[in-house]
Amino acid sequence: MAAVPFAGAAGTVLSPSAAHAAPVGRSQFRLAARASNGYGTFADMNAGLAARLPKVSVSTVLAGADRKAKRLTGAPSTAAAFQAGFAWDSADQAVNYWIPQGVTTSADAHNSGYYGGSDKVILVSWYFESDPDGDKVVDHPLDKGMRLTFVDYNNAAAPTYRHVLLVEPVRTSSGAPSFRPLRKHAGGIMWYGDFLYVVDTYKGLRIFDLRTLFKVATTEKDVCGLHTDGRYHGYGYQYVLPQSHAYDNAGTFLRYSTIGLDRAGDPDSLVIAEYSLSGTVDYGEDAFIGTGKPSTAVPKVVRWPLDQSSRYLSSLTPTEAVTVKQKKIQGAVSRKSRHYLSVSDGPSRKGALRTFTSSASTASTVAGLAVGCEDLSFHSKDASGWKYREHVIWNVSEYARKRYVYAVRADGS
């Protein structure tokens, strides 16, 4: 899909909801590590799958990319700050039951910007929407969960990509290793070393190890896991990526809407931000989904430290928590005490990239973002390999026929 750049002010979502930060007790938002589910340990079940299925590398998935993206020379609302990006092929632009949400890159995975030594890669998460027109009538009854797109960005002029199904390892009634779809929102993702962190909105974080990608059969489009034909299927996708670890919310309710990596501090850290319809106490249309509680009070940005060797959290207790009176936060990344937010404004008005500091009382607008802006990923100019002259921030937009993956300069220039 060709981009149609246009300029303009940042839209109506900005002025009514200025961001005001305030610190809150961080220890209340603790997490609990989990290495298993009701079927056994993730490690044992994934080892069982590895004994039955071919294991493949990220480079193999990229080499087998079966779709072509179109390079962007600009994107809606980002004319001043646009750096690079692409649009999906016509099928992925039009599909209404797969919705893109999260974005991260190999510049998150490693300081060099490369994965596997030399690959420039962008990852995008999608969730399956059974009722895409929102009329309360299920149009697609088989919810296929979440998928992850591997984009080969080694040639930015002609990116290629392939979709992979995200799954949870389980066992069949006979005890054989299998897997099932993950029917979650996939609202934000973060790549760190070999691990992909995915937010689970009402539960916490799920982790996927990119060294455990498996090749499966593709003949059964409506089957996921071990089938009666003795083969493994992933709804027609060539590859599946099973979960390998989890961090569950173990304290005060927190809505895990989006996730971002901060490499500017020592140690590295991740931040979680909350979505709210109003920017204050939210009793909106989705306030009680799955929890019996309000979606959130004043939205929060919460930070946990990362172990730069193991790539897991180094503490289950956050090191920072601040509230921010900002509605419709869809993405968040931080650089020490400075936080960047993507703020949406519905299906017809553009969004915005906003920034504030942990000690500040107001936020400022950095740049306009595309309609339906979602997750963010910070790409440092200091990356030793894949780098730009300035810091850039990647964003993904969600609405059909308005879907872009693009980077804007972090200073809005």
Side-chain angles (χ1 to χ4, degrees):
M1 177 177 178
V4 185
F6 63 89
T12 59
V13 75
L14 306 182
S15 53
S17 184
H20 304 276
V24 293
R26 57 184 174 81
S27 61
Q28 63 185 308
F29 303 112
R30 65 187 183 279
L31 289 163
R34 179 167 56 87
S36 62
N37 59 18
Y39 297 88
T41 68
F42 295 128
D44 285 347
M45 289 184 286
N46 286 335
L49 291 171
R52 297 178 175 221
L53 291 169
K55 187 183 289 188
V56 299
S57 65
V58 169
S59 61
T60 297
V61 175
L62 296 176
D66 56 350
R67 302 191 182 211
K68 296 179 180 179
K70 184 170 184 177
R71 181 192 179 195
L72 297 178
T73 56
S77 307
T78 67
F82 177 82
Q83 177 69 46
F86 61 90
W88 306 107
D89 71 9
S90 57
D92 286 322
Q93 281 286 357
V95 65
N96 65 353
Y97 47 83
W98 281 114
I99 316 294
Q101 294 289 288
V103 64
T104 186
T105 78
S106 50
D108 280 338
H110 294 292
N111 286 324
S112 66
Y114 296 135
Y115 188 75
S118 60
D119 283 322
K120 301 175 183 178
V121 190
I122 299 171
L123 301 180
V124 174
S125 62
W126 308 59
Y127 77 95
F128 194 93
E129 176 55 72
S130 298
D131 177 23
D133 57 9
D135 63 357
K136 310 301 181 183
V137 176
V138 174
D139 300 305
H140 306 285
L142 180 57
D143 184 343
K144 296 184 178 180
M146 302 189 300
R147 71 182 185 185
L148 183 69
T149 305
F150 288 74
V151 182
D152 183 340
Y153 207 64
N154 289 303
N155 180 3
T160 57
Y161 64 96
R162 190 174 196 114
H163 302 308
V164 170
L165 193 70
L166 293 176
V167 296
E168 181 177 13
V170 296
R171 294 190 184 277
T172 66
S173 58
S174 66
S178 187
F179 48 81
R180 65 187 178 189
L182 275 163
R183 294 176 173 132
K184 302 294 180 179
H185 190 66
I189 58 177
M190 184 194 83
W191 193 356
Y192 193 53
D194 292 311
F195 294 159
L196 178 73
Y197 285 70
V198 181
V199 292
D200 185 332
T201 311
Y202 301 104
K203 191 172 180 64
L205 304 171
R206 294 175 185 260
I207 298 178
F208 300 79
D209 189 332
L210 294 177
R211 295 166 296 185
T212 56
L213 281 156
F214 296 113
K215 184 177 182 179
V216 295
T218 59
T219 52
E220 297 289 342
K221 307 299 183 184
D222 294 334
V223 174
C224 182
L226 182 58
H227 192 39
T228 53
D229 63 3
R231 298 190 295 174
Y232 289 86
H233 299 268
Y235 291 138
Y237 292 99
Q238 182 77 77
Y239 304 107
V240 299
L241 177 60
Q243 183 178 341
S244 62
H245 197 70
Y247 290 105
D248 297 336
N249 185 71
T252 300
F253 175 72
L254 182 71
R255 188 173 184 179
Y256 297 79
S257 299
T258 185
I259 186 172
L261 175 65
D262 183 355
R263 285 191 177 277
D266 187 14
D268 296 341
S269 59
L270 65 82
V271 294
I272 298 294
E274 295 184 296
Y275 175 89
S276 167
L277 287 173
S278 66
T280 56
V281 177
D282 187 351
Y283 292 94
E285 59 183 281
D286 59 350
F288 295 93
I289 296 175
T291 66
K293 303 177 182 179
S295 293
T296 184
V298 178
K300 293 166 284 293
V301 175
V302 183
R303 180 193 304 273
W304 281 266
L306 290 160
D307 186 311
Q308 293 165 228
S309 177
S310 72
R311 302 292 177 157
Y312 290 112
L313 297 182
S314 60
S315 172
L316 299 177
T317 300
T319 55
E320 180 185 22
V322 296
T323 62
V324 55
K325 292 182 180 179
Q326 175 64 66
K327 66 181 180 180
K328 297 183 178 179
I329 297 170
Q330 301 283 10
V333 290
S334 300
R335 299 281 286 176
K336 296 184 178 179
S337 64
R338 177 163 297 280
H339 311 286
Y340 296 87
L341 308 173
S342 59
V343 179
S344 65
D345 200 15
S348 59
R349 291 189 292 267
K350 63 185 178 181
L353 178 67
R354 308 202 75 201
T355 186
F356 73 99
T357 63
S358 297
S359 59
S361 59
T362 59
S364 59
T365 299
V366 177
L369 295 178
V371 173
C373 62
E374 286 290 328
D375 199 23
L376 298 176
S377 176
F378 196 95
H379 190 137
S380 174
K381 69 177 182 180
D382 301 320
S384 58
W386 178 17
K387 58 185 176 181
Y388 296 102
R389 288 187 297 175
E390 302 176 49
H391 299 315
V392 301
I393 297 177
W394 287 88
N395 180 238
V396 59
S397 51
E398 68 172 339
Y399 292 113
R401 297 183 174 83
K402 300 176 183 178
R403 290 174 176 161
Y404 307 90
V405 180
Y406 60 96
V408 296
R409 289 180 285 278
D411 64 359
S413 64

